[in-house]
Amino acid sequence: MLSQVIEKIYDNRRSDSLASDLRRKRFALFNSLIKSTRTPLKILDVGGRPSFWENTGLFNQESLELEITLLNIEQINHPKFKCVVGDARKMYQFKDLEFDIVFSNSVIEHVGDYNEQLQMANEVKRVGKKYFIQTPNLYFPIEPHFVFPFFQFLPIVVRVWLLTHFNLGWRKKTPDKQQALSSVTSIKLLSKQKLMNLFPEGKLYEEKFGYLTKSFIVYGGW
């Protein structure tokens, strides 16, 4: 029963999954914001992938002129996008307000502790005139990366033991304890309060599963 619930929530391959439904609603919100903004638009996606944008349908809108730059820690090559290697916490290769919009989807929880998340937030606001940032909710009962109930609240030794013995969500079983430790401690999920502390001027949108908030979107500049 639990496995069916988890599949219903997280399976991106299912058009009726919560993940797919929230993605559609997320881009409906983003698209509505874009329509209120003059084009052409220079967009920086921090941690993004070409397939993510190709599936949005934005390129099919003739009225939109978009120039999208993808910033990642490893090199990506794609003819439609400008791809840059860099660090979300130190985007020194970009000038102040170089981009019309800085977009980021499920990345800020991966950059380190709260101080490093603050560095990313400050860089987002430095290089972008507007921003649109999505991140999972710390208090949603199923951790979204390991797809295990309340995994984020378990003692680290228990999380490491689980990962060394089982495949968990999108993470394969990791017999090496140091690698497992690095994996389970590399993700720092944010609460609503901490996210709003990073972006106090932003507007908050909550993505829901029933009465529960699965993830947050904070956006500003519009």
Side-chain angles (χ1 to χ4, degrees):
M1 180 66 176
L2 179 59
S3 63
Q4 293 176 338
V5 173
I6 290 174
E7 182 181 339
K8 177 71 173 176
I9 294 173
Y10 287 106
D11 192 345
N12 288 311
R13 297 166 296 182
R14 292 179 50 166
S15 61
D16 64 339
S17 72
L18 177 68
S20 297
D21 183 55
L22 290 181
R23 185 171 59 248
R24 286 190 292 268
K25 292 178 179 177
R26 188 178 308 154
F27 269 92
L29 172 61
F30 185 64
N31 199 22
S32 69
L33 293 171
I34 281 182
K35 286 180 178 179
S36 69
T37 308
R38 292 181 179 179
T39 58
L41 289 175
K42 290 183 64 177
I43 298 176
L44 172 66
D45 184 352
V46 181
R49 292 291 189 272
S51 59
F52 185 84
W53 289 96
E54 291 174 330
N55 292 330
T56 65
L58 290 177
F59 289 108
N60 299 328
Q61 300 182 40
E62 294 182 0
S63 60
L64 288 180
E65 296 181 57
L66 303 177
E67 178 187 308
I68 298 177
T69 299
L70 305 178
L71 176 77
N72 284 281
I73 57 175
E74 75 281 347
Q75 182 63 51
I76 296 175
N77 296 304
H78 195 282
K80 287 185 180 179
F81 303 91
K82 181 179 180 181
C83 301
V84 178
V85 175
D87 186 333
R89 300 161 298 181
K90 302 173 183 178
M91 296 189 279
Y92 299 149
Q93 64 269 62
F94 303 129
K95 298 178 293 186
D96 292 359
L97 304 179
E98 182 170 341
F99 296 92
D100 297 298
I101 302 169
V102 178
F103 181 99
S104 186
N105 192 71
S106 294
V107 170
I108 196 167
E109 70 272 16
H110 293 278
V111 300
D113 61 22
Y114 186 75
N115 286 333
E116 291 169 300
Q117 291 170 338
L118 179 60
Q119 290 174 23
M120 175 178 167
N122 288 338
E123 282 293 88
V124 164
K125 289 180 279 189
R126 180 184 68 80
V127 305
K129 301 168 188 174
K130 300 175 174 63
Y131 59 82
F132 188 97
I133 310 295
Q134 185 269 354
T135 190
N137 176 19
L138 168 65
Y139 292 109
F140 189 71
I142 300 174
E143 203 283 339
H145 304 89
F146 300 93
V147 194
F148 192 92
F150 301 105
F151 186 83
Q152 63 271 42
F153 301 115
L154 296 174
I156 289 178
V157 291
V158 176
R159 286 183 271 166
V160 170
W161 184 87
L162 286 169
L163 189 57
T164 56
H165 289 80
F166 304 99
N167 294 331
L168 296 176
W170 321 122
R171 304 300 174 104
K172 296 295 185 182
K173 183 172 72 171
T174 309
D176 184 277
K177 289 185 177 180
Q178 284 302 316
Q179 290 182 10
L181 176 63
S182 176
S183 182
V184 302
T185 57
S186 66
I187 299 168
K188 309 291 185 185
L189 296 176
L190 286 158
S191 66
K192 175 165 52 173
Q193 185 59 59
K194 284 194 172 181
L195 180 63
M196 293 312 297
N197 287 344
L198 295 176
F199 298 94
E201 69 293 316
K203 297 179 181 179
L204 186 73
Y205 176 83
E206 299 186 21
E207 298 185 324
K208 295 287 189 177
F209 177 61
Y211 294 103
L212 300 175
T213 298
K214 182 179 178 293
S215 54
F216 302 112
I217 295 170
V218 62
Y219 58 98
W222 278 277

